[in-house]
Amino acid sequence: MRFTTLVPLFLAVPATVFACEGDCIVAITNAILGNYSRPLENVMKSMAAQISNIIPSHPDEQTTMTYLQPIISAYQKEAYQGMETAIFPNFFHGKCLDAQGIEPDGCPNPDCPIVCGTPGSMVHYYSKLRFIAFNETYHHLERLCTPGTDTYKRVEQAVVGAAGHDERRRSSSRIYSRALSNAVNVAHSNKGSGSSTAPGSGSGSGSGHDSALGSRPKDHKTSTPEISTPKMLVPIFLKRADDVKSGLKSIMQQCHGLLEEACGGDGVQETNGLPECSWEGAMKEYILSFP
């Protein structure tokens, strides 16, 4: 299940611009989001496999991924705005203008005292751009997987519901089997003791009447199977629901850590490479296709 459609890195050269603005901002932001679709897909698949293990029926990946859909949908809805803001203007500021709107001497160029939003500047500071993209994705995913958020609650409801359905179905099957076994045993017991004699056929009308009404001496087992187990299932279900919630919380806490693993680094050091989430050569070429 993809988060976004992978955006081609090599598109037609856009209209001439003097800084990364408008179409340039949109295109580069979408290219980064598209590149991250594969690592995020791997994260979701890893989480889905773990969630399957805490549900009795161990649903397949396609089914388990539906339980994670609230996270996937929220990310797809929110990711663009968060990523664009993190890059433009939080670090790259478009044209190289100072607070007074004046372009400092020697700008724009990669070593301009003001970080410009030109394609050349973005390539020059690519290690920073790579870090910004990873950091934004990392913290966005972390927020969506945090207990108490709407996305977390919806995932939890789906997972607990699936686990509870499986457990109730299995328990009901066990209860039915025990009830049937008890009924057979009682029938055999009644047959052996003659308690199934028709009313009035006993030695006295009073005893026969009592037999018909189901009246028995206190030490005689009733013919109605005792099925008290369902009353005991409620606390069992609650306990198992708590176990599922605890297991899910542990899994969800790994979501951003799984992204680190998928990217091959922790993102803390801006120059650590993030080898699986760098795309440096292709991205630099694409960025420089904007004048």
Side-chain angles (χ1 to χ4, degrees), residues 103-284:
E103 184 177 279
D105 292 340
C107 292
N109 69 69
D111 296 314
C112 179
I114 294 176
V115 177
C116 307
T118 61
S121 180
M122 295 178 71
V123 167
H124 182 70
Y125 290 104
Y126 189 78
S127 62
K128 178 67 176 180
L129 176 60
R130 175 174 54 218
F131 173 76
I132 291 171
F134 174 84
N135 208 34
E136 170 60 24
T137 307
Y138 177 98
H139 289 295
H140 191 172
L141 195 59
E142 183 180 32
R143 289 192 299 272
L144 294 175
C145 294
T146 298
T149 60
D150 178 65
T151 47
Y152 186 98
K153 290 177 182 177
R154 290 168 61 195
V155 171
E156 183 182 71
Q157 182 180 21
V159 172
V160 171
H165 174 75
D166 286 350
E167 189 58 39
R168 283 190 294 272
R169 183 174 56 187
R170 292 171 62 190
S171 297
S172 296
S173 177
R174 290 195 297 268
I175 294 165
Y176 177 78
S177 297
R178 287 197 298 270
L180 182 60
S181 178
N182 289 342
V184 171
N185 290 337
V186 169
H188 280 293
S189 176
N190 288 344
K191 182 177 180 180
S193 64
S195 59
S196 59
T197 306
S201 63
S203 58
S205 62
S207 62
H209 179 67
D210 288 344
S211 178
L213 293 176
S215 226
R216 298 287 186 274
K218 291 185 178 178
D219 60 347
H220 195 294
K221 293 182 179 179
T222 177
S223 62
T224 303
E226 294 183 8
I227 311 174
S228 59
T229 310
K231 296 179 182 178
M232 300 300 297
L233 287 175
V234 174
I236 292 174
F237 282 149
L238 292 176
K239 174 63 169 63
R240 290 183 178 172
D242 287 342
D243 290 342
V244 171
K245 288 180 181 180
S246 177
L248 178 64
K249 182 177 181 180
S250 177
I251 294 167
M252 296 281 271
Q253 286 174 337
Q254 300 174 38
C255 66
H256 48 294
L258 289 170
L259 181 65
E260 294 177 348
E261 183 179 328
C263 289
D266 59 17
V268 175
Q269 300 297 322
E270 295 179 18
T271 58
N272 73 351
L274 295 167
E276 303 304 319
C277 296
S278 178
W279 312 288
E280 184 169 359
M283 279 299 296
K284 282 184 175 180

Side-chain angles (χ1 to χ4, degrees), residues 87-108:
I87 300 170
F88 315 97
N90 284 6
F91 186 77
F92 295 102
H93 304 290
K95 296 178 181 179
C96 299
L97 305 178
D98 60 20
Q100 286 71 45
I102 299 173
E103 184 177 279
D105 292 340
C107 292

Side-chain angles (χ1 to χ4, degrees), residues 20-30 80 84 88 94 290:
C20 191
E21 299 176 316
D23 290 344
C24 174
I25 289 176
V26 172
I28 291 175
T29 301
N30 278 327
Y80 179 86
E84 181 187 300
F88 315 97
F290 294 87

